[in-house]
Amino acid sequence: MSHTPSSPSRLRRALVGAAGVAALALGVGLADAPAAVAWDPGHGDAALTPRTSFTMAPDGSSGATQGGEGIPNIDSVKKTIATYYGDPGTGIANKTDSPYIRDLGGILGKEKAELKRDYDRAVRHGQKPAIVFDADDTTLWTYDMEVADMHFTFNPTEQNVWVQDQRFPATPGMVDFVNQAQAMGYTVFGLTGRNDGQKDATLGNLAKVGYTAFTAGRFYTKWTGTGASQQPSYITCATASCTTVEYKALTRKHIQDLGYTITLNVGDQWSDLQGGYAEQELKLPNPTYYLPSPDLPGVNEPQLSPRTHFSMAPDGSSGATQGGEGIPNIDSVKKTIATYYGDPGTGIANKTDSPYIRELRSIVQRQAPVVAAQCFVERKLHKNPAIVLDTDDTTLWTYDMEVADMHFTFDPVEQNVWVQDQRFPATPQMTTLAAVAQKAGCTLIGLTGRNDDQKAATLGNLAKVGYTGFTAQNFYTKWTGTGASQQPSYIACATAKCTTIEYKSQTRKHIESASGGRYDIVANFGDQYSDLIGGYADRTVKLPNPTYYLP
């Protein structure tokens, strides 16, 4: 008996019925299900591009309000910082020329022009003019330690090795600036968060790189609380542990009580400058870490606060144009990401509720009814509908590995341990999305950057956390180039190493071909834009993920 296609009116009723079932299951109405970002062959992938404008509070609170796409992606931030410091990807800053060096040169050039005027004015008023300098990233440059050694994860034990070994170069342009101020007649003071046990080595390092103005008597380091290294009487703090601003501001007050007028206070952190007791402040750029501290009680200095609006291209190129203060500070980005994932600071995401979970729930509530309706109708029409899902942070959730274990520095060996041990939980709400699509008639197809050696473990992990539709035949992993795991004939790449987009888009093309099963890809889900670019899907759905970026 021949098959008679359903009439248009019957199809419309079926579509509404399938969407309605999905909507009821998810607790939403059809009116709440707008279209996803769709791939249009006439317009290409123009819509599949990352955000370039961000609003971010320095304390991480924006993670509760901005949504995943509104958080600066940490890999893009790292690339932007590298561009700014002339770092080719080794973690070592260019010591000759970079946007950072040029930025500092402009800042110091303007300040030098005012040094003599400010000095003469102070002397005319019978004052003893002085300048106070912070150490790290004000007079001594820590970039290579922070990035090449620590990978933006501060380690105080390792930092002490660098301090005691006097490894730090001078901050570009600062030796000339400090020595010129000394030659004019300024008294130069050092004021650093380094401790008393690091004082001699710090003074040695400063002398080694060419500073002549710093002396032990005019160089203040923080007490350790051991032996003779105790909190000085001129510093009183609200709690047992003094804040940075309490320590630095009250030390500046002490310098003034000694008879000096601090005409200029120089630092790379806002907390170096807050709290008063200086006629002027000079902020040097530093997006590589952020040391916040509340201002002194009753003091309001809105001008001494970080930027909150940023423009940042995903490829890091903004590091050449935005200046140091215009680059999202990486510590603030980390805190914002933690807030978004409900991470209390342990590197472990909240598995019950967070801004991330709520955003994913909203995405699934919007998309599932529409996807289910198309799955249902195409199944009735024998069109062989399917949805394609990436793995990491699309079906399986990697946050705890990326943050608690790797501290945002990807380690493929450690990742393979997690994969083979099947440690990943399901990405929130995505088992529901997959089940709704399956029930409506779509085949689930996996398409991941994980390799063939990780395929069995990945399928095991997916089954373990509740996915039921993936099979070895409809789950695509990347070839290793060893043994039988070779690049398939349906993928042709511009160079020997295929890009993610070449691999994934041509695999989707294969899936829609006769040899791949002649599926119609109703929707393609991924957390990276490179999961989605290249067509061969009726609609693309981007899941949020600021924890890494795979262009």
Side-chain angles (χ1 to χ4, degrees), residues 203-214:
L203 286 165
N205 199 157
L206 289 162
K208 183 166 112 176
V209 297
Y211 294 99
T212 59
F214 295 107

Side-chain angles (χ1 to χ4, degrees), residues 230-509:
Q230 300 296 325
Q231 181 174 330
S233 59
Y234 55 80
I235 293 180
T236 56
C237 303
T239 64
S241 179
C242 292
T243 67
T244 298
V245 172
E246 286 173 328
Y247 157 56
K248 291 204 167 187
L250 295 176
T251 301
R252 291 195 300 272
K253 181 179 183 298
H254 170 67
I255 292 170
Q256 289 195 348
D257 291 342
L258 294 176
Y260 294 94
T261 297
I262 300 173
T263 62
L264 183 64
N265 178 27
V266 187
D268 66 288
Q269 299 292 310
W270 297 106
S271 54
D272 296 333
L273 309 177
Q274 293 167 283
Y277 304 109
E279 292 186 341
Q280 298 179 76
E281 300 85 15
L282 180 63
K283 171 68 168 65
L284 305 186
N286 181 9
T288 68
Y289 56 87
Y290 176 57
L291 304 175
S293 178
D295 215 330
L296 294 182
V299 177
N300 181 30
E301 299 172 304
Q303 77 280 11
L304 299 179
S305 57
R307 283 263 295 272
T308 57
H309 292 84
F310 304 91
S311 295
M312 184 185 74
D315 63 358
S317 58
S318 301
T321 59
Q322 290 300 309
E325 297 301 323
I327 298 172
N329 187 286
I330 196 162
D331 279 352
S332 293
V333 171
K334 287 181 180 180
K335 288 180 181 177
T336 305
I337 290 171
T339 299
Y340 179 58
Y341 285 90
D343 169 4
T346 60
I348 304 297
N350 187 315
K351 305 303 186 296
T352 306
D353 181 59
S354 67
Y356 171 67
I357 290 173
R358 294 193 293 275
E359 185 171 16
L360 278 182
R361 183 182 299 123
S362 177
I363 291 170
V364 170
Q365 286 176 339
R366 291 196 308 270
Q367 298 301 331
V370 181
V371 171
Q374 191 170 350
C375 292
F376 184 84
V377 171
E378 291 204 4
R379 177 59 64 187
K380 288 291 184 183
L381 294 173
H382 302 286
K383 284 190 174 182
N384 208 11
I387 63 170
V388 170
L389 300 114
D390 170 58
T391 299
D392 291 309
D393 296 290
T394 299
T395 52
L396 296 175
W397 193 9
T398 75
Y399 183 88
D400 295 354
M401 177 193 76
E402 291 283 346
V403 186
D405 190 347
M406 296 182 184
H407 307 288
F408 294 110
T409 301
F410 185 71
D411 179 347
V413 175
E414 183 66 6
Q415 184 250 13
N416 192 54
V417 172
W418 280 69
V419 170
Q420 302 301 340
D421 288 351
Q422 303 180 23
R423 296 185 191 178
F424 300 102
T427 301
Q429 304 299 312
M430 289 304 289
T431 53
T432 299
L433 181 284
V436 167
Q438 276 182 276
K439 190 170 183 179
C442 269
T443 299
L444 300 188
I445 297 176
L447 175 53
T448 176
R450 293 186 182 187
N451 65 50
D452 289 345
D453 291 343
Q454 299 175 321
K455 182 172 183 173
T458 302
L459 286 166
N461 198 156
L462 289 162
K464 184 164 107 173
V465 299
Y467 295 97
T468 60
F470 293 110
T471 68
Q473 290 69 41
N474 65 19
F475 196 83
Y476 291 85
T477 43
K478 200 168 186 184
W479 59 94
T480 64
T482 302
S485 178
Q486 300 296 326
Q487 181 174 328
S489 58
Y490 56 78
I491 293 179
C493 303
T495 64
K497 185 175 174 62
C498 292
T499 68
T500 298
I501 292 171
E502 287 173 328
Y503 159 55
K504 291 204 166 186
S505 65
Q506 291 183 59
T507 301
R508 291 194 301 273
K509 180 180 180 183

Side-chain angles (χ1 to χ4, degrees), residues 487-538:
Q487 181 174 328
S489 58
Y490 56 78
I491 293 179
C493 303
T495 64
K497 185 175 174 62
C498 292
T499 68
T500 298
I501 292 171
E502 287 173 328
Y503 159 55
K504 291 204 166 186
S505 65
Q506 291 183 59
T507 301
R508 291 194 301 273
K509 180 180 180 183
H510 167 71
I511 290 166
E512 291 196 323
S513 72
S515 59
R518 210 184 293 277
Y519 291 96
D520 178 49
I521 300 174
V522 167
N524 178 25
F525 291 81
D527 66 287
Q528 300 293 312
Y529 285 98
S530 54
D531 297 331
L532 309 175
I533 296 171
Y536 305 107
D538 296 338

Side-chain angles (χ1 to χ4, degrees), residues 114-130 181-187 259-263 279:
E114 300 183 8
L115 280 177
K116 186 68 166 62
R117 183 199 66 189
D118 293 343
Y119 177 82
D120 290 343
R121 183 174 61 233
V123 170
R124 282 198 307 271
H125 287 84
Q127 298 169 342
K128 295 167 61 178
Q182 180 195 29
M184 282 183 191
Y186 282 99
T187 302
Y260 294 94
T261 297
I262 300 173
T263 62
E279 292 186 341

